[in-house]
Amino acid sequence: MEIQLHDKHFVPFISADELDKAIAKMATQISKDFENEVPVFIGVLNGAFMVVSDFMKHYKNPCELSFIKMASYDGMQTTHEVKQLIGLNQDLTGRSVVVIEDIVDTGNTIEELQKLFADKNLKQLKFATLFLKPEAYKKDIKIDYIGIEIENKFIVGFGLDYDGLGRNLSEVYQLK
Ligand code: IMP
Ligand code: MG
């Protein structure tokens, strides 16, 4: 069923079941790659809160979790300036860190995150994202785990918002 958020109309795009399957698959893959260590997952707020929650339920091995808050979007426009709103206060020396994102669009946010972790003496840094818009992604940074690739159109739901609204939708909707 079509929904309206502020002035825009959205149509159903990806079902809760498909989202769950994509997240479960990422969790399985990541569990295999980090079998013999305790990775630190870093969720990127606000958007990634639902992805992280479901991902953690599917991840059965020992792991740690922290959040970082970044913002680059203003309404429907990505801005070049990515602001860090809540930072990290944990020693990550020698640790394997996996950043968990809701969506990678231009890649500005993950580029900023890569810079942020550059001097933290990590063992390794990996990026996982539920959604990737390949047509919009302009960076060379490798995205190690990708849930679902989508066309370059605005989506909401499952943590993603349009001007604050839509984060609570359990399915993903696409701009009509
Ligand atoms: P990037 O920095 O351009 O890669 O954008 C990353 C952030 O912008 C994501 O983590 C989201 O919070 C937001 N974003 C990008 N595309 C969308 C979208 O289609 N709907 C809602 N938010 C989006
Ligand atoms: Mg985000």
Side-chain angles (χ1 to χ4, degrees):
M1 208 183 57
E2 189 177 314
I3 57 159
Q4 182 173 358
L5 300 171
H6 299 295
D7 56 325
K8 300 272 189 286
H9 294 260
F10 296 87
V11 291
F13 183 47
I14 300 170
S15 71
D17 189 50
E18 274 178 88
L19 296 170
D20 192 62
K21 284 197 179 114
I23 294 169
K25 198 174 159 191
M26 286 203 286
T28 305
Q29 243 183 313
I30 295 174
S31 319
K32 282 193 190 124
D33 292 354
F34 296 90
E35 222 163 26
N36 300 312
E37 57 186 316
V38 181
V40 183
F41 298 125
I42 308 275
V44 185
L45 295 173
N46 288 326
F49 77 95
M50 264 197 207
V51 182
V52 171
S53 168
D54 284 5
F55 175 85
M56 290 298 275
K57 286 181 263 178
H58 284 292
Y59 195 89
K60 305 297 183 193
N61 297 337
C63 60
E64 293 178 25
L65 173 67
S66 228
F67 286 96
I68 190 167
K69 186 164 179 174
M70 309 285 286
S72 69
Y73 252 63
D74 186 16
M76 276 196 190
Q77 285 294 305
T78 186
T79 59
H80 286 284
E81 194 196 348
V82 181
K83 285 177 278 186
Q84 186 186 339
L85 305 171
I86 297 176
L88 288 170
N89 45 18
Q90 193 181 347
D91 180 18
L92 295 169
T93 305
R95 305 298 301 271
S96 289
V97 169
V98 182
V99 169
I100 303 180
E101 263 283 23
D102 48 356
I103 185 165
V104 173
D105 186 7
T106 61
N108 289 337
T109 306
I110 61 163
E111 184 176 56
E112 211 48 49
L113 287 165
Q114 195 185 46
K115 282 185 205 156
L116 197 96
F117 286 111
D119 61 353
K120 300 285 184 285
N121 300 307
L122 306 183
K123 180 181 170 191
Q124 56 180 331
L125 176 65
K126 302 276 183 191
F127 290 99
T129 185
L130 176 57
F131 296 110
L132 173 71
K133 291 177 178 169
E135 293 158 54
Y137 185 60
K138 295 188 194 84
K139 311 288 178 189
D140 293 326
I141 302 164
K142 185 181 176 215
I143 301 164
D144 305 277
Y145 307 99
I146 298 163
I148 304 170
E149 294 194 354
I150 59 168
E151 63 187 305
N152 193 7
K153 245 181 147 178
F154 195 79
I155 59 170
V156 289
F158 203 73
L160 292 157
D161 72 305
Y162 166 46
D163 248 345
L165 296 182
R167 294 196 196 276
N168 55 325
L169 297 163
S170 51
E171 315 211 311
V172 167
Y173 289 73
Q174 188 181 51
L175 185 66
K176 196 181 165 185

